Amino acid sequence: MRASGPKPAARRADLSASKPSNQAKVTPRRAATPVPEPGSAFLKQAGRTTVGLAAGAAIVGGLVAGTAQPASANVAHKAPTLHQGDSGAMVVRLQRELSANGKNVPDTGYFGSQTKARVNALKARHGWRQNGIAGYRVWNVLLHDGHSVSSPSLVHKSSTKHKSKAKHAKKAKVVSSKAELKALKYAKAHLGDSYVYGAAGPHSFDCSGLTMAAYKSAGIKLAHNSTTQYRQVRHVSKSNLRLGDLVFFYGGRSHVAIYAGHGKVIHAGEPGQPIEYIKMKYMPYNGAGRPA
């Protein structure tokens, strides 16, 4: 027996009961449209289109990232590693980058406590060890934070190395010869020995006797007379002194000593005084020479 009451409507009747009106056909393309049912052909097609667009965007983005990132990374590699106490143009650049990235740092050109604190604050944000050193990772963040700082220009590592080599080459020019170092070593070994006029060792010396014996130990002959020794050596300027050079004092160059560095000489001064170090400024300078 059939149940009484209203009959249930067919589940898909509303979708096929009538055709769309002409007015619906001319609805503008950008007008609101019903949400398609799950599984409909329209939704499947829209999904494929969305995926296609996303994939295309990813490819384009990858191409951009693939071409731009290496160049940007190279910029960070040009930057020098900076520590507290450093100064110069690269510190100015670091301070300007830090100011553009956050709290202002005066671009004094000196890496002081304030600059160190800002570097550590940046490192703390990234979970890095806060050692106050501005290295590659710090520069990489600052150079890619979207803020433009262009001066001073970053120094290439090759240029830094070149300057370092030139600096070492300059230092090499003032390195003492083996003979000079041996003579200086001899003089140091006799510190405390007594002054005796006319003596040249082995346990007492006068001024030229000490320098003569010192260079004799290195295989170089010198006269037992300070004035004559000045004529025997190649003369050098006071600003170009190196360890082991002979330094002459007083009128007539009546006194001679061996340069020991830092403005000091080793000499046999006078009777009653031991062979000792003394500052050059305590005696009237009157020339210098290089036996070797």
Side-chain angles (χ1 to χ4, degrees):
M1 181 175 177
R2 299 179 65 179
S4 62
K7 296 181 180 180
R11 295 187 62 182
R12 299 186 60 86
D14 290 341
L15 298 178
S16 57
S18 61
K19 296 182 179 180
S21 64
N22 291 336
Q23 184 177 1
K25 291 182 180 180
V26 297
T27 300
R29 294 183 64 185
R30 297 183 65 87
T33 55
V35 177
E37 284 189 358
S40 67
F42 174 81
L43 187 58
K44 289 179 181 179
Q45 180 62 37
R48 286 195 293 269
T49 303
T50 303
V51 171
L53 289 174
I59 293 172
V60 172
L63 290 174
V64 172
T67 55
Q69 184 59 29
S72 299
N74 286 338
V75 173
H77 280 297
K78 295 176 184 178
T81 299
L82 298 175
H83 306 73
Q84 186 173 10
D86 288 341
S87 60
M90 290 303 93
V91 177
V92 173
R93 176 62 182 266
L94 173 65
Q95 291 168 333
R96 291 177 180 176
E97 292 283 359
L98 289 169
S99 295
N101 182 263
K103 187 178 178 181
N104 183 61
V105 179
D107 52 355
T108 61
Y110 177 74
F111 195 129
S113 58
Q114 189 173 359
T115 303
K116 179 180 178 180
R118 288 284 288 109
V119 169
N120 280 339
L122 184 149
K123 288 191 165 190
R125 290 199 303 270
H126 291 80
W128 300 335
R129 186 162 65 95
Q130 299 168 49
N131 56 7
I133 300 174
Y136 167 75
R137 292 194 298 179
V138 170
W139 283 106
N140 198 43
V141 169
L142 295 175
L143 295 172
H144 297 87
D145 62 1
H147 300 97
S148 178
V149 178
S150 60
S151 66
S153 61
L154 293 173
V155 178
H156 291 271
K157 287 188 175 181
S158 58
S159 300
T160 305
K161 289 180 180 179
H162 176 74
K163 289 180 181 179
S164 179
K165 288 180 180 179
K167 185 177 181 180
H168 287 304
K170 186 177 180 181
K171 285 185 177 179
K173 292 179 182 179
V174 297
V175 172
S176 300
S177 67
K178 290 182 179 180
E180 287 174 307
L181 294 176
K182 191 169 184 179
L184 178 59
K185 183 178 179 181
Y186 181 94
K188 287 180 177 179
H190 290 276
L191 286 166
D193 284 358
S194 60
Y195 177 99
V196 173
Y197 180 78
H203 302 298
S204 58
F205 306 84
D206 64 7
C207 69
S208 60
L210 175 63
T211 55
M212 180 183 73
Y215 270 96
K216 184 179 179 181
S217 73
I220 296 174
K221 292 183 179 181
L222 292 174
H224 193 172
N225 180 277
S226 60
T227 304
T228 304
Q229 285 182 6
Y230 183 76
R231 292 197 295 264
Q232 290 179 306
V233 298
R234 178 166 57 90
H235 300 160
V236 296
S237 66
K238 188 177 182 180
S239 61
N240 197 35
L241 283 172
R242 68 187 190 189
L243 299 179
D245 282 344
L246 298 185
V247 186
F248 299 86
F249 301 92
Y250 301 101
R253 299 181 180 89
S254 59
H255 187 61
V256 64
I258 295 182
Y259 186 64
H262 305 290
K264 293 182 178 181
V265 293
I266 296 175
H267 80 145
E270 58 184 38
Q273 295 295 324
I275 295 173
E276 62 181 351
Y277 283 104
I278 187 173
K279 291 183 180 180
M280 289 171 52
K281 66 180 182 179
Y282 293 154
M283 299 180 287
Y285 174 83
N286 197 8
R290 190 164 294 158

